[in-house]
Amino acid sequence: MADPLLIFDALLGVALIALAIAVLVVRDRFAMIVLFIIFGLMTALAWVRLSAPDVALAEAAIGTGLAGALMLKTLHHIRAAPAAPVPVSVGVVFANMGFCAMVFVGLAIAFMATSLEAPGLAPQVAQNIDASGVAHPVTAVLLNFRAYDTLMEVVVLLAAIIAVWMIERGIEQAPARHLGEIYRGFARLALPAIVVIGTYLLWVGAYAPGGAFQGGAALAAVGLLLLLSGLYRPQPAHRPIARLGFVLGIAVFASVALLVASGGRLPFEYPPAHAKTLILLIEGVVTISIAVTLAALFHGREPEAIPVSETRA
Amino acid sequence: MSTALSITLIVILLSILGGLIRILRGPSPAERMLAAQLFGTASVAMLLILSHLMAMPALLDVALVFALLAAVTLVCFVVLAEEERR
């Protein structure tokens, strides 16, 4: 009899492909979002089966949880302000198809050209892990060996929130109504738990799967709950604090790189004696930035002064 | 023991794939959302079994994050659906 886990893997693979097709062909926009959330769940399981719990954790936190909430909010926004669908010209459709085909061909070539027996970079990481300041290879790569890439990922988030605040500037929205005791009760129960788990994910990243992005996503869920339950209402006066939150991670990350570089080393070549401290410092502030930015992306617009008449509605 | 767990895993996966019908046919958003919640709960169960089978305690953290964020997504859905009705 075949290994039952092999059957599970085959089922999971078929389900993933079927879900990917279903997300693209289904007509109902809400069903599309739900299917995409489930696609994320199944993808996380697939990463688990590929022995990549780090990717599974990131997929669970960002791909499934927060992306689902963001898409639900976007759908709500589209419905609240219905706009006439903009007709897409045939030229744009074909250009898009052309770009997709190029990406596909590029990936196919890269896949075919890579030798399956190649050892990859794992031995090099294992060799230098002692100098990195952390015990978990994924964190060592993300925050030390390839820290520049991680800095750019945080910059992408900053660019996203800048774009959202610019596009939605001036759109007014009456504050959310009082949602009743159930939500507040749930929020009171869940908020402390989420804060503990988010901080735990950040801390555990030094020697096990976890880290700034996963912890930040969990802490962003705190922001979502606060916004949804009406326990926190964004005020125009809070904009400077939010802006500080958005840039804090990048500012500290870049200053550490510059300070290290000014000491006659390469940027991100942390002195081994202080590597652990520096990595924890960077991860801590980046976590705060990620959490604030994701929560602000969920809120979706720069807090504006709202006329008094609307707040009484 | 591990064979029994693997078979349990397959049964859970098959049972939630049945829930896909509800998502595709709907008709109301609440039915679709509840089916998605079923997927979330079942995924937690599958992760717990897999963490034992694959000897990866880190999967317990993944299950924790799943359980947590599934609830947040549900609250998000209920609040937004409630706002739309008014």
Side-chain angles (χ1 to χ4, degrees), chain A residues 143 147-148 150-152 154-155 247-262 266-268 270 278 281-282 285-286:
Chain A
L143 268 303
Y148 187 72
T150 310
L151 176 63
M152 286 302 121
V154 187
V155 172
V247 296
L248 184 68
I250 297 170
V252 173
F253 208 152
S255 336
V256 167
L258 288 174
L259 276 177
V260 171
S262 70
L266 293 170
F268 301 115
Y270 315 126
L278 287 177
L281 172 74
I282 292 172
V285 288
V286 165

Side-chain angles (χ1 to χ4, degrees), chain A residues 6 28-29 31 45 47 86-87 90 156 175-176 180 187 191 211 218 221 236 259 277 287:
Chain A
L6 202 66
D28 186 273
R29 280 190 291 199
L45 282 175
W47 283 119
V86 185
V90 185
V156 167
L191 285 179
L259 276 177
T277 321
T287 304

Side-chain angles (χ1 to χ4, degrees), chain A residues 116-293:
Chain A
L116 284 176
E117 279 80 38
L121 296 171
Q124 285 178 7
V125 173
Q127 222 169 30
N128 295 305
I129 187 98
D130 289 335
S132 73
V134 288
H136 188 53
V138 175
T139 309
V141 170
L142 286 181
L143 268 303
N144 197 331
F145 305 147
R146 302 281 303 181
Y148 187 72
D149 291 351
T150 310
L151 176 63
M152 286 302 121
E153 280 170 29
V154 187
V155 172
V156 167
L157 265 182
L158 178 68
I161 189 66
I162 289 174
V164 166
W165 272 26
M166 282 178 77
I167 291 169
E168 297 224 302
R169 183 179 287 268
I171 299 177
E172 286 178 346
Q173 186 198 34
R177 285 154 218 247
H178 201 293
L179 289 162
E181 286 306 309
I182 297 173
Y183 302 112
R184 298 217 166 182
F186 174 75
R188 284 209 186 92
L189 276 176
L191 285 179
I194 304 178
V195 172
V196 171
I197 292 168
T199 320
Y200 159 75
L201 285 176
L202 166 68
W203 179 254
V204 84
Y207 51 89
F213 271 88
Q214 292 88 336
L219 289 178
V222 174
L224 259 65
L225 275 181
L226 286 175
L227 286 166
L228 285 169
S229 61
L231 288 171
Y232 168 69
R233 289 187 181 163
Q235 309 287 335
H238 296 168
R239 275 181 289 189
I241 304 170
R243 290 205 179 100
L244 177 71
F246 300 155
V247 296
L248 184 68
I250 297 170
V252 173
F253 208 152
S255 336
V256 167
L258 288 174
L259 276 177
V260 171
S262 70
R265 292 163 172 269
L266 293 170
F268 301 115
E269 190 193 355
Y270 315 126
H274 304 291
K276 165 115 190 175
T277 321
L278 287 177
I279 286 178
L280 258 181
L281 172 74
I282 292 172
E283 280 213 293
V285 288
V286 165
T287 304
I288 295 171
S289 274
I290 290 171
V292 174
T293 311

Side-chain angles (χ1 to χ4, degrees), chain A residues 4 8 11 19 28 30-31 34 38 41-42 45 48-49 57 61 65 73 76 79 183 186 200-201 209 221 228, chain B residues 6 10 13 16 23 29 32 36 39 46-47 54 58-59 61-62 65-66 69 73 75-78 80 83-84:
Chain A
F8 177 78
L11 272 173
L19 275 167
D28 186 273
F30 185 80
V34 170
I38 293 164
L41 285 173
M42 295 285 125
L45 282 175
V48 166
R49 289 298 298 141
L57 195 58
K73 177 85 187 209
H76 174 74
R79 278 190 185 150
Y183 302 112
F186 174 75
Y200 159 75
L201 285 176
L228 285 169
Chain B
S6 308
I10 295 170
L13 184 64
I16 59 167
I23 291 170
R32 297 196 160 111
F39 271 72
M46 287 195 278
L47 282 169
M54 299 174 73
L59 297 187
D61 291 350
V62 183
V65 171
F66 257 147
L69 290 181
T73 317
V75 171
C76 176
F77 165 73
V78 174
L80 294 179
E83 261 182 41
E84 243 159 66

Side-chain angles (χ1 to χ4, degrees), chain A residues 41-66:
Chain A
L41 285 173
M42 295 285 125
T43 315
L45 282 175
W47 283 119
V48 166
R49 289 298 298 141
L50 291 168
S51 304
D54 291 88
V55 193
L57 195 58
E59 180 69 37
I62 300 166
T64 308
L66 279 177

Side-chain angles (χ1 to χ4, degrees), chain A residues 22-23 26-40 63-64 67-76 78-79, chain B residues 23 32-33 36 73 77 80:
Chain A
V23 168
V26 75
R27 289 267 163 191
D28 186 273
R29 280 190 291 199
F30 185 80
M32 208 179 261
I33 293 174
V34 170
L35 282 171
F36 188 79
I37 294 174
I38 293 164
F39 180 73
T64 308
L70 276 174
M71 284 187 289
L72 284 174
K73 177 85 187 209
T74 309
L75 181 66
H76 174 74
I78 295 172
R79 278 190 185 150
Chain B
I23 291 170
R32 297 196 160 111
M33 199 65 213
T73 317
F77 165 73
L80 294 179

